Amino acid sequence: MTNNTKASKYFRERLEEFHYLLDGGDDLFCIIDANYCYVWANRAYLDVYGLQLEEIEERTVEDVVGAEYFRQTIKPRIDRCFAGEAQHYETEWNYAGLGLRKLLVRYYPIDLPHKPNTLLGAVITDVTEIRARDQELRKLAHITEQSPSPVAVTDLEGRIEYVNPAFERISGYSREELLGNTPASIQSGHTPETAYQELWETITAGKVWTGELQNRRKDGTLYWESEVISPLKDESGRITNYVAIKQDITALKEAEQALNRIAFEDPLTGLFNFVGFTRKMQKHIDQHGWPVTGALVTFNIARLRDINDAYGHEAGDWLLSRFGRRLKDLPGEQILAGRIGGDEFTLFILPAHGEALELYLNRLVESLSLPFQLASVNIEIELRLGYTRLGKRQRPIEDLLRESERALSLHRQDTSVPWVAYSKRIQKETQKRIELARELRLALAEDQFELHFQPKVDLATGTLIACEALIRWNHPTRGLISPGEFIPIAEQSQMIGPIGDWVLYRACQHLRDWRNAGLQPVRVAVNVSIIQFQRGDFASRVRTALDQSEVAPEELALEVTESVFERESAVLLNQMSVLRDMGVWLSLDDFGTGYSSLLYLQRYPFNEIKIDQGFVFKLLEDPFSRNIVEMVIMLAKALNAEVIAEGIESAEVRNALIEMGCRSGQGFFYSMPLEAEDFRWLLEQRSKLPLTTDPGH
Ligand code: C2E
Ligand code: MG
Ligand code: MG
């Protein structure tokens, strides 16, 4: 059957004139008449089905697609189209060489003048790729819609084009409220402008921005989100949209903040603790550079212990927390405050431009040391303060803290100045101390220590009644070094334990040697540092030393300086009581210089009180010293303890002491501390002291 009707012919001729319009595209296109015969087909159509335009009028659709497919799929639709109803449908077709393709087929009825529905135009579009992409997109859309993570898409100006349900849920805004607005509507207002600037710079440059932002819900509450914002590009690489994928990290942030508080904050004052302070200060320096004019100040509240003792620990805590408040409320220049020890605080300060640091410190001390009002009592406080300037030399925060703490400890020793600044000189001395500490270790191993003995004498008769063992360091290059120089260093460097043990054993050894030599020894007093007590096992160490040397406890005396009470504790009291029960003689050294309360004196089991040499030296010319000496003698009587004066340098002082009722003493007037051999000779001779003619006797 051919379709050589006039109409088809006319139509074919028109199409051939314009065939270039229809041959250009990828779509297949053909015209069919009511007998299912081809009238015309474009190049793409002919190629796909292997047809020639010249022979096309000879062919029917059924020839080309096969009887089965024609009858089932095509014919019913063609018929409906000829009935005037355009057809759209999708089908699949297996092309030789191309495989199975998805096709969108459309039939349009073509009306010729005065002849409706004589022809039919078919357009066949290969939609295989489009449908595959659609499928992908549908999957993706499903994922974003279901995702628990908020997702938003904005246009280039940041106006929201899409949000998923999670976004609505977390922000509290509905999709309608958000679309067309910028994310500024959910900003917390706490994020610095620079953060947003950085964000925009990154994404407009086509890069992905990741970060954390704090946002605000519709109900006003704040929440944290971790965000990945990436630019969406079209095929030509042009940015068309921005996509933000977020995650609610509020709980994580809160946990992190709580942990930070524990790790970096002092719970009592809310100030940074040591670790927090160093971190924060490092961060500040990383951000703003090394502040040449800055200073690190360390200070403490003097005698906080007194306050604790007088008003109770709650009062002490209250005072510390109020003090912390003062630091937080410091105006202006102050940058960082921390509590880095029990009563120790630190400030990193940057005085206002041009202001002298000293003036600033003056104001600081003045405002910080105002008295505190606790109920009806006025609590006065005194500050000790040391500082170090940052200057040009960059160094770790730990070094700065060490420097200002060193200055602080020097201020504790000399409070006649308002504060101490760390200096080159202090630095040199510190280095010397470090060097000494190192050498101390060696000294013990190489047996560089020795004990000297100073007689304790009955003032009235000059009889030797006891002695004090005093340590000397026989330094290989520097000669004899006095304990005043190295004991404090040993106390700070953990060396005091081993050195103290050495003294104890050596003193006991001497005692035993003297006895074995048939001499009648006197009690030997050994000086003990508070640090030796703090280990908690001091009494048992003494016991072992005595046992091993076969020395009776009564032959040994222990001298502790009055300053032990600055660190009075249950451990100390307990150890002392054990020693006293053992029968060891206990002596309170340097009495009158340090920290004592009648309470301690009464509670602690001292056999003897030693009047500090400072008062003894000035006994004759200084009425105050005389009063103190008198008072100590009375006090000792009341406590049922012996009293002994140290530092007697003249017969006049000795006489005055006797007159005041003091019965024993020691000092250069009687004898210098003697080498062991010389002291042994004294024991042998049992001569009265002093050895030179004494006009007083
Ligand atoms: P201290 O226990 O008060 O010892 C008395 C100090 O005064 C001794 O100084 C002694 O030589 C000195 N001295 C004695 N009589 C006079 C005098 O008439 N005039 C003057 N100007 N000074 C006199 P030294 O030996 O330099 O000891 C100083 C301090 O070092 C001792 O003071 C004691 O606290 C400590 N020390 C000495 N040996 C030891 C020790 O083995 N262990 C401990 N932990 N500390 C010790
Ligand atoms: Mg002593
Ligand atoms: Mg003394």
Side-chain angles (χ1 to χ4, degrees), residues 456 468-470 525-528 559-561 587 589-590 610 646 666:
K456 292 183 178 179
E468 177 174 8
L470 295 158
V526 161
N527 292 285
V528 179
E559 292 191 7
V560 288
T561 69
S587 180
D589 207 352
D590 303 340
K610 292 183 84 173
E646 56 179 9
Q666 80 189 86

Side-chain angles (χ1 to χ4, degrees), residues 55-330:
E55 51 155 41
I56 194 141
E57 299 151 37
E58 314 298 322
R59 312 291 295 270
T60 67
V61 178
E62 191 176 352
D63 293 344
V64 170
V65 300
E68 173 76 2
Y69 187 75
F70 177 74
R71 191 171 45 78
Q72 279 194 350
T73 310
I74 297 190
K75 187 172 174 302
R77 291 191 165 92
I78 291 183
D79 291 347
R80 252 176 272 145
C81 185
F82 276 118
E85 193 186 324
Q87 298 291 307
H88 283 207
Y89 67 98
E90 279 195 39
T91 181
E92 284 177 349
W93 187 254
N94 206 344
Y95 289 113
L98 279 178
L100 193 67
R101 308 298 294 175
K102 280 203 164 57
L103 304 176
L104 171 65
V105 184
R106 283 159 289 180
Y107 298 153
Y108 303 101
I110 300 174
D111 299 341
L112 292 180
H114 315 299
K115 286 195 175 166
N117 304 341
T118 31
L119 295 176
L120 172 152
V123 185
I124 302 170
T125 309
D126 187 333
V127 292
T128 316
E129 273 80 30
I130 294 175
R131 288 297 170 262
R133 217 174 304 149
D134 282 354
Q135 179 69 12
E136 278 310 294
L137 277 177
R138 246 197 310 282
K139 264 194 251 165
L140 280 177
H142 184 76
I143 292 168
T144 14
E145 286 287 303
Q146 299 303 312
S147 161
S149 304
V151 176
V153 179
T154 75
D155 65 11
L156 293 182
E157 270 73 54
R159 280 184 300 263
I160 298 174
E161 288 184 350
Y162 167 83
V163 291
N164 70 345
F167 193 110
E168 299 179 282
R169 205 167 47 243
I170 288 170
S171 70
Y173 288 101
S174 72
R175 194 170 291 197
E176 293 67 42
E177 287 171 303
L178 289 164
L179 296 190
N181 284 320
T182 65
S185 48
I186 58 161
Q187 281 168 12
S188 64
H190 296 327
T191 313
E193 204 45 51
T194 48
Y196 293 115
Q197 252 167 37
E198 187 221 281
L199 186 165
W200 276 104
E201 273 166 26
T202 311
I203 58 174
T204 48
K207 289 188 241 140
V208 177
W209 183 88
T210 50
E212 292 175 356
L213 292 176
Q214 198 182 28
N215 290 328
R216 191 183 292 280
R217 292 192 182 84
K218 192 178 178 184
D219 66 9
T221 52
L222 295 170
Y223 62 108
W224 276 98
E225 284 183 320
S226 137
E227 311 203 1
V228 179
I229 304 181
S230 43
L232 210 62
K233 296 175 189 172
D234 64 11
E235 269 140 39
S236 65
R238 219 166 31 93
I239 301 173
T240 56
N241 293 87
Y242 298 110
V243 183
I245 302 175
K246 301 141 168 267
Q247 199 183 350
D248 186 350
I249 51 162
T250 311
L252 210 71
K253 272 276 179 202
E254 279 167 3
E256 185 184 292
Q257 276 164 1
L259 276 179
N260 275 352
R261 256 197 302 282
I262 296 168
F264 305 122
E265 215 177 275
D266 163 47
L268 183 62
T269 59
L271 297 173
F272 288 114
N273 62 14
F274 183 87
V275 182
F277 182 86
T278 10
R279 257 174 56 119
K280 190 77 185 177
M281 182 163 167
Q282 189 60 56
K283 214 165 163 188
H284 184 274
I285 290 174
D286 292 346
Q287 274 170 6
H288 305 277
W290 181 260
V292 179
T293 57
L296 192 76
V297 184
T298 308
F299 50 98
N300 74 350
I301 305 175
R303 293 187 297 273
L304 189 67
R305 275 275 314 274
D306 284 356
I307 295 164
N308 278 332
D309 288 344
Y311 307 104
H313 277 275
E314 289 78 23
D317 283 355
W318 173 86
L319 188 125
L320 281 169
S321 76
R322 292 295 300 269
F323 190 77
R325 236 307 38 103
R326 278 190 188 173
L327 288 179
K328 276 193 203 143
D329 293 346
L330 281 176

